[in-house]
């Protein structure tokens, strides 16, 4: 579903991604861990072209992300074409980014109505089912500022799912939540994993990574230091830098 080959990204003289190579299989859950500033979130944003890469190639479902290749050269797609491609990639951010002037249900329906041009009836029916799926069927007429952080994040997940994505990206989805609210969000993500959704998750929740992930990637200073099955990376890492990081967070 995702293939990164030699992906590089810099901001001025600071290289944030220094050659990322990885593959995410269809139906796989990959958790990316590492210290702050290691490039995890930047890489995630590159997958759906919220950030433009400086070198390498990024493919989602066999197609270049944000570009097309013609005659051996690559050209950036128009904004409209990028948006069309991005519509099949769901993303959940640290901050919930809900529309404050819209009800919970209207937030979930917005994408299908405006981007996918679904009818109001179809968008509403699916929105209600998704809000039921994330445990918020009783909040359809509520506004975001009337919800807890955990509830808002579950609305954000439902909103992303309303676009029927083939890939879900999560950028530290629980980092802005009070500790007692984290579990409800992780439960929704576990359910998605069990349903076979392809997911790339940047997280500090090591228990979730150990339980749900098919693979764990440890990043530091813009490179992949170590990757493998959760049991190997989190319990018996081979690299000293990984061991040092885990000794502080576990």
């Amino acid at each position: 579903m995702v293939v990164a080959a030699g992906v590089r990204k810099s901001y001025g003289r600071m290289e944030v991604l220094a050659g990322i190579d990885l593959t995410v299989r269809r139906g796989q859950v990959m958790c990316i861990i590492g210290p702050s500033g290691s490039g995890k979130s930047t890489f995630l944003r590159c997958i759906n072209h919220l950030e433009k890469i400086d070198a390498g190639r990024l493919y989602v479902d066999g197609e270049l992300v944000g570009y097309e290749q013609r005659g051996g050269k690559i050209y950036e797609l128009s904004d409209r074409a990028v948006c069309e491609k991005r519509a099949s990639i769901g993303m959940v951010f640290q901050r919930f980014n809900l529309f404050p002037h819209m009800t919970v249900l209207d937030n979930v329906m917005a994408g299908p109505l405006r981007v996918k041009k679904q009818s109001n009836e179809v968008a509403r029916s699916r929105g209600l089912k998704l809000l039921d799926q994330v445990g918020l069927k009783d909040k359809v007429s509520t506004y975001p500022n009337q919800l807890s952080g955990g509830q808002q994040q579950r609305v954000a997940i439902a909103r992303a799912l309303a676009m029927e994505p083939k890939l879900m990206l999560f950028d530290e989805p629980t980092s802005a939540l009070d500790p007692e609210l984290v579990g409800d969000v992780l439960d929704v993500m576990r359910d998605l994993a069990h349903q076979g959704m392809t997911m790339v998750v940047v997280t500090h929740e090591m228990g979730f990574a150990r339980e749900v992930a098919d693979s764990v990637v440890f990043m530091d200073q813009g490179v992949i230091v170590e990757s493998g099955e959760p049991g190997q990376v989190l319990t018996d890492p081979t690299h000293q830098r990984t061991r040092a990081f885990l000794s502080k967070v576990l």
Side-chain angles (χ1 to χ4, degrees):
M1 180 62 76
V2 180
V3 177
V7 171
R8 292 180 176 272
K9 173 67 180 179
S10 297
Y11 297 106
R13 296 183 178 180
M14 182 176 67
E15 190 171 45
V16 181
L17 301 176
I20 300 295
D21 298 286
L22 62 73
T23 299
V24 183
R25 301 188 311 275
R26 194 178 307 276
Q28 182 181 21
V29 178
M30 174 178 286
C31 284
I32 304 178
I33 64 172
S36 297
S38 59
K40 310 183 301 296
S41 294
T42 297
F43 176 67
L44 207 67
R45 292 171 65 84
C46 288
I47 293 177
N48 64 358
H49 205 60
L50 287 176
E51 297 284 354
K52 300 177 184 180
I53 64 176
D54 297 322
R57 297 286 190 274
L58 249 175
Y59 299 88
V60 171
D61 202 17
E63 297 185 354
L64 283 169
V65 176
Y67 301 90
E68 63 179 351
Q69 187 163 334
R70 300 196 303 265
K73 295 183 179 181
I74 64 168
Y75 300 86
E76 188 171 10
L77 296 173
S78 67
D79 289 345
R80 179 184 293 273
V82 169
C83 287
E84 289 175 357
K85 299 286 186 182
R86 191 181 289 144
S88 65
I89 305 173
M91 186 160 185
V92 178
F93 301 86
Q94 297 178 35
R95 297 291 174 177
F96 325 118
N97 294 341
L98 300 177
F99 299 115
H101 62 289
M102 297 169 62
T103 66
V104 163
L105 181 57
D106 287 339
N107 264 277
V108 175
M109 292 172 59
L113 287 174
R114 299 179 186 183
V115 179
K116 301 192 78 173
K117 308 301 182 184
Q118 290 182 355
S119 69
N120 190 77
E121 181 181 355
V122 170
R124 179 180 174 83
S125 175
R126 178 158 175 77
L128 290 171
K129 289 179 182 178
L130 287 169
L131 288 169
D132 187 17
Q133 180 180 330
V134 300
L136 293 172
K137 65 179 180 180
D138 59 334
K139 302 291 185 182
V140 295
S141 300
T142 305
Y143 288 87
N145 64 3
Q146 298 172 302
L147 301 176
S148 70
Q151 290 171 327
Q152 290 186 62
Q153 193 62 295
R154 283 184 280 155
V155 174
I157 293 173
R159 181 178 62 180
L161 293 173
M163 295 296 290
E164 301 178 272
K166 53 190 174 186
L167 169 67
M168 283 287 288
L169 309 176
F170 293 87
D171 187 8
E172 298 190 35
T174 60
S175 65
L177 303 180
D178 291 334
E180 66 268 24
L181 302 177
V182 168
D184 290 340
V185 174
L186 294 182
D187 285 344
V188 172
M189 294 171 65
R190 285 189 187 92
D191 288 343
L192 286 179
H194 294 153
Q195 293 167 24
M197 175 64 72
T198 309
M199 299 162 58
V200 183
V201 185
V202 171
T203 185
H204 292 297
E205 299 290 340
M206 299 302 158
F208 175 84
R210 181 183 286 107
E211 175 190 350
V212 179
D214 298 295
S215 66
V216 173
V217 171
F218 173 66
M219 284 182 63
D220 189 29
Q221 297 183 344
V223 299
I224 294 176
V225 176
E226 189 164 354
S227 64
E229 295 183 355
Q232 183 266 308
V233 175
L234 298 177
T235 306
D236 188 26
T238 59
H239 199 283
Q240 173 58 34
R241 181 66 186 93
T242 314
R243 291 196 292 270
F245 172 78
L246 291 174
S247 70
K248 296 177 181 178
V249 300
L250 290 179

Short mmCIF file of all heavy atoms in Angstrom, two decimals, residues 93-126:
data_model
loop_
_atom_site.label_atom_id
_atom_site.label_comp_id
_atom_site.label_asym_id
_atom_site.label_seq_id
_atom_site.Cartn_x
_atom_site.Cartn_y
_atom_site.Cartn_z
N PHE A 93 -5.01 13.94 13.11
CA PHE A 93 -3.92 14.76 13.62
C PHE A 93 -3.88 14.74 15.15
O PHE A 93 -4.81 14.26 15.82
CB PHE A 93 -4.07 16.20 13.14
CG PHE A 93 -4.08 16.36 11.65
CD1 PHE A 93 -5.26 16.23 10.93
CD2 PHE A 93 -2.91 16.63 10.96
CE1 PHE A 93 -5.28 16.38 9.55
CE2 PHE A 93 -2.90 16.78 9.58
CZ PHE A 93 -4.09 16.65 8.88
N GLN A 94 -2.81 15.30 15.71
CA GLN A 94 -2.72 15.45 17.17
C GLN A 94 -3.87 16.31 17.67
O GLN A 94 -4.51 15.98 18.66
CB GLN A 94 -1.39 16.10 17.56
CG GLN A 94 -0.16 15.28 17.19
CD GLN A 94 1.13 16.00 17.57
OE1 GLN A 94 1.18 16.69 18.57
NE2 GLN A 94 2.17 15.85 16.76
N ARG A 95 -4.07 17.45 17.02
CA ARG A 95 -5.21 18.31 17.32
C ARG A 95 -6.35 17.93 16.40
O ARG A 95 -6.13 17.56 15.24
CB ARG A 95 -4.83 19.78 17.14
CG ARG A 95 -3.73 20.22 18.09
CD ARG A 95 -4.23 20.26 19.53
NE ARG A 95 -3.18 20.55 20.49
CZ ARG A 95 -3.38 20.69 21.79
NH1 ARG A 95 -4.60 20.53 22.29
NH2 ARG A 95 -2.38 20.96 22.60
N PHE A 96 -7.55 18.06 16.85
CA PHE A 96 -8.67 17.39 16.21
C PHE A 96 -9.10 18.08 14.91
O PHE A 96 -9.65 17.44 14.02
CB PHE A 96 -9.83 17.31 17.21
CG PHE A 96 -9.36 17.09 18.62
CD1 PHE A 96 -9.62 18.02 19.62
CD2 PHE A 96 -8.59 15.98 18.94
CE1 PHE A 96 -9.16 17.84 20.91
CE2 PHE A 96 -8.11 15.79 20.23
CZ PHE A 96 -8.39 16.72 21.22
N ASN A 97 -8.88 19.40 14.82
CA ASN A 97 -9.17 20.14 13.58
C ASN A 97 -10.62 19.99 13.12
O ASN A 97 -10.89 19.96 11.92
CB ASN A 97 -8.23 19.69 12.45
CG ASN A 97 -6.77 20.06 12.73
OD1 ASN A 97 -6.50 20.93 13.55
ND2 ASN A 97 -5.85 19.40 12.06
N LEU A 98 -11.54 19.91 14.07
CA LEU A 98 -12.96 19.87 13.71
C LEU A 98 -13.44 21.29 13.41
O LEU A 98 -12.89 22.27 13.92
CB LEU A 98 -13.78 19.27 14.85
CG LEU A 98 -13.44 17.84 15.25
CD1 LEU A 98 -14.30 17.41 16.44
CD2 LEU A 98 -13.63 16.88 14.08
N PHE A 99 -14.49 21.40 12.61
CA PHE A 99 -15.10 22.70 12.33
C PHE A 99 -15.96 23.09 13.53
O PHE A 99 -16.98 22.43 13.80
CB PHE A 99 -15.95 22.63 11.07
CG PHE A 99 -15.16 22.28 9.83
CD1 PHE A 99 -15.41 21.10 9.15
CD2 PHE A 99 -14.16 23.12 9.36
CE1 PHE A 99 -14.68 20.76 8.01
CE2 PHE A 99 -13.44 22.80 8.22
CZ PHE A 99 -13.69 21.62 7.55
N PRO A 100 -15.59 24.13 14.27
CA PRO A 100 -16.28 24.44 15.52
C PRO A 100 -17.72 24.88 15.34
O PRO A 100 -18.54 24.75 16.26
CB PRO A 100 -15.43 25.56 16.13
CG PRO A 100 -14.73 26.19 14.97
CD PRO A 100 -14.48 25.07 14.00
N HIS A 101 -18.07 25.43 14.16
CA HIS A 101 -19.42 25.96 13.94
C HIS A 101 -20.37 24.90 13.40
O HIS A 101 -21.54 25.20 13.13
CB HIS A 101 -19.35 27.11 12.94
CG HIS A 101 -18.83 26.71 11.59
ND1 HIS A 101 -17.51 26.38 11.38
CD2 HIS A 101 -19.47 26.56 10.40
CE1 HIS A 101 -17.35 26.06 10.11
NE2 HIS A 101 -18.51 26.15 9.49
N MET A 102 -19.87 23.66 13.25
CA MET A 102 -20.69 22.58 12.71
C MET A 102 -20.91 21.51 13.75
O MET A 102 -20.04 21.24 14.58
CB MET A 102 -20.01 21.99 11.45
CG MET A 102 -19.86 22.98 10.31
SD MET A 102 -18.78 22.38 8.98
CE MET A 102 -19.68 20.94 8.43
N THR A 103 -22.09 20.87 13.71
CA THR A 103 -22.36 19.78 14.63
C THR A 103 -21.45 18.59 14.32
O THR A 103 -20.78 18.53 13.28
CB THR A 103 -23.82 19.31 14.52
OG1 THR A 103 -24.02 18.72 13.22
CG2 THR A 103 -24.78 20.46 14.75
N VAL A 104 -21.45 17.64 15.23
CA VAL A 104 -20.65 16.42 15.05
C VAL A 104 -21.02 15.73 13.74
O VAL A 104 -20.14 15.37 12.94
CB VAL A 104 -20.87 15.48 16.26
CG1 VAL A 104 -20.42 14.06 15.93
CG2 VAL A 104 -20.13 16.00 17.48
N LEU A 105 -22.29 15.55 13.49
CA LEU A 105 -22.71 14.87 12.27
C LEU A 105 -22.34 15.67 11.03
O LEU A 105 -21.88 15.11 10.02
CB LEU A 105 -24.22 14.60 12.29
CG LEU A 105 -24.79 13.86 11.07
CD1 LEU A 105 -24.11 12.53 10.85
CD2 LEU A 105 -26.31 13.67 11.23
N ASP A 106 -22.51 16.98 11.08
CA ASP A 106 -22.14 17.81 9.93
C ASP A 106 -20.64 17.75 9.65
O ASP A 106 -20.22 17.79 8.49
CB ASP A 106 -22.57 19.26 10.16
CG ASP A 106 -24.08 19.44 10.05
OD1 ASP A 106 -24.72 18.58 9.42
OD2 ASP A 106 -24.61 20.43 10.59
N ASN A 107 -19.83 17.67 10.70
CA ASN A 107 -18.38 17.51 10.52
C ASN A 107 -18.07 16.23 9.74
O ASN A 107 -17.24 16.23 8.84
CB ASN A 107 -17.68 17.48 11.88
CG ASN A 107 -17.12 18.82 12.30
OD1 ASN A 107 -16.03 19.22 11.90
ND2 ASN A 107 -17.90 19.53 13.11
N VAL A 108 -18.76 15.16 10.11
CA VAL A 108 -18.51 13.86 9.47
C VAL A 108 -19.03 13.85 8.03
O VAL A 108 -18.43 13.22 7.15
CB VAL A 108 -19.13 12.72 10.30
CG1 VAL A 108 -18.99 11.38 9.60
CG2 VAL A 108 -18.49 12.65 11.69
N MET A 109 -20.12 14.55 7.79
CA MET A 109 -20.72 14.56 6.45
C MET A 109 -20.01 15.51 5.48
O MET A 109 -20.19 15.38 4.26
CB MET A 109 -22.19 14.97 6.55
CG MET A 109 -23.08 13.95 7.24
SD MET A 109 -24.77 14.61 7.52
CE MET A 109 -25.29 15.00 5.84
N ALA A 110 -19.23 16.45 5.98
CA ALA A 110 -18.69 17.52 5.14
C ALA A 110 -17.89 16.99 3.96
O ALA A 110 -18.08 17.42 2.81
CB ALA A 110 -17.84 18.46 5.99
N GLY A 111 -16.97 16.09 4.19
CA GLY A 111 -16.12 15.57 3.11
C GLY A 111 -16.91 14.83 2.04
O GLY A 111 -16.77 15.12 0.84
N PRO A 112 -17.73 13.86 2.44
CA PRO A 112 -18.53 13.15 1.43
C PRO A 112 -19.42 14.08 0.61
O PRO A 112 -19.60 13.87 -0.60
CB PRO A 112 -19.36 12.17 2.27
CG PRO A 112 -18.51 11.91 3.47
CD PRO A 112 -17.83 13.22 3.76
N LEU A 113 -19.98 15.11 1.24
CA LEU A 113 -20.86 16.02 0.51
C LEU A 113 -20.08 16.90 -0.46
O LEU A 113 -20.48 17.06 -1.63
CB LEU A 113 -21.63 16.91 1.50
CG LEU A 113 -22.76 16.25 2.31
CD1 LEU A 113 -23.31 17.23 3.33
CD2 LEU A 113 -23.88 15.75 1.38
N ARG A 114 -18.98 17.47 0.01
CA ARG A 114 -18.29 18.49 -0.78
C ARG A 114 -17.24 17.93 -1.72
O ARG A 114 -16.99 18.49 -2.78
CB ARG A 114 -17.67 19.52 0.17
CG ARG A 114 -18.70 20.22 1.05
CD ARG A 114 -18.07 21.20 2.01
NE ARG A 114 -19.08 21.75 2.92
CZ ARG A 114 -18.85 22.67 3.83
NH1 ARG A 114 -17.62 23.16 3.97
NH2 ARG A 114 -19.80 23.10 4.63
N VAL A 115 -16.60 16.85 -1.30
CA VAL A 115 -15.52 16.29 -2.11
C VAL A 115 -16.02 15.14 -2.99
O VAL A 115 -15.77 15.09 -4.19
CB VAL A 115 -14.35 15.81 -1.22
CG1 VAL A 115 -13.24 15.20 -2.08
CG2 VAL A 115 -13.81 16.97 -0.40
N LYS A 116 -16.77 14.22 -2.37
CA LYS A 116 -17.24 13.05 -3.12
C LYS A 116 -18.60 13.28 -3.78
O LYS A 116 -19.07 12.43 -4.53
CB LYS A 116 -17.31 11.84 -2.19
CG LYS A 116 -15.98 11.49 -1.53
CD LYS A 116 -16.00 10.14 -0.84
CE LYS A 116 -15.89 9.02 -1.85
NZ LYS A 116 -15.73 7.70 -1.20
N LYS A 117 -19.21 14.44 -3.48
CA LYS A 117 -20.49 14.82 -4.09
C LYS A 117 -21.59 13.78 -3.82
O LYS A 117 -22.46 13.54 -4.67
CB LYS A 117 -20.33 15.03 -5.60
CG LYS A 117 -19.22 15.99 -5.99
CD LYS A 117 -19.41 17.37 -5.38
CE LYS A 117 -18.30 18.33 -5.82
NZ LYS A 117 -18.42 19.65 -5.16
N GLN A 118 -21.54 13.18 -2.64
CA GLN A 118 -22.60 12.25 -2.27
C GLN A 118 -23.89 13.02 -1.98
O GLN A 118 -23.87 14.20 -1.64
CB GLN A 118 -22.19 11.44 -1.04
CG GLN A 118 -21.09 10.43 -1.28
CD GLN A 118 -20.75 9.62 -0.04
OE1 GLN A 118 -21.28 9.86 1.05
NE2 GLN A 118 -19.87 8.64 -0.19
N SER A 119 -25.00 12.32 -2.07
CA SER A 119 -26.27 12.93 -1.70
C SER A 119 -26.32 13.10 -0.19
O SER A 119 -25.63 12.40 0.56
CB SER A 119 -27.43 12.05 -2.16
OG SER A 119 -27.47 10.84 -1.39
N ASN A 120 -27.16 14.00 0.26
CA ASN A 120 -27.30 14.25 1.70
C ASN A 120 -27.76 12.98 2.42
O ASN A 120 -27.29 12.66 3.52
CB ASN A 120 -28.29 15.38 1.94
CG ASN A 120 -28.29 15.84 3.39
OD1 ASN A 120 -27.41 16.56 3.83
ND2 ASN A 120 -29.30 15.42 4.14
N GLU A 121 -28.65 12.24 1.77
CA GLU A 121 -29.18 11.02 2.38
C GLU A 121 -28.09 9.98 2.58
O GLU A 121 -27.99 9.36 3.65
CB GLU A 121 -30.30 10.45 1.50
CG GLU A 121 -30.94 9.19 2.06
CD GLU A 121 -32.04 8.64 1.15
OE1 GLU A 121 -32.36 9.29 0.14
OE2 GLU A 121 -32.56 7.56 1.47
N VAL A 122 -27.25 9.76 1.56
CA VAL A 122 -26.18 8.76 1.65
C VAL A 122 -25.14 9.19 2.69
O VAL A 122 -24.70 8.39 3.53
CB VAL A 122 -25.52 8.56 0.27
CG1 VAL A 122 -24.25 7.71 0.40
CG2 VAL A 122 -26.50 7.88 -0.68
N ALA A 123 -24.74 10.47 2.63
CA ALA A 123 -23.73 10.96 3.56
C ALA A 123 -24.23 10.90 5.00
O ALA A 123 -23.48 10.55 5.92
CB ALA A 123 -23.33 12.39 3.20
N ARG A 124 -25.49 11.23 5.21
CA ARG A 124 -26.05 11.21 6.56
C ARG A 124 -26.13 9.77 7.10
O ARG A 124 -25.78 9.51 8.25
CB ARG A 124 -27.44 11.84 6.56
CG ARG A 124 -28.11 11.83 7.93
CD ARG A 124 -29.49 12.47 7.89
NE ARG A 124 -30.17 12.33 9.17
CZ ARG A 124 -29.98 13.13 10.20
NH1 ARG A 124 -29.13 14.14 10.11
NH2 ARG A 124 -30.63 12.93 11.34
N SER A 125 -26.57 8.86 6.26
CA SER A 125 -26.70 7.46 6.69
C SER A 125 -25.35 6.89 7.09
O SER A 125 -25.22 6.26 8.15
CB SER A 125 -27.31 6.63 5.55
OG SER A 125 -27.34 5.25 5.91
N ARG A 126 -24.33 7.14 6.27
CA ARG A 126 -23.00 6.62 6.60
C ARG A 126 -22.43 7.35 7.82
O ARG A 126 -21.78 6.73 8.67
CB ARG A 126 -22.05 6.77 5.41
CG ARG A 126 -20.63 6.30 5.72
CD ARG A 126 -19.84 5.94 4.49
NE ARG A 126 -18.46 5.61 4.81
CZ ARG A 126 -18.06 4.45 5.34
NH1 ARG A 126 -18.95 3.51 5.60
NH2 ARG A 126 -16.79 4.23 5.59
#
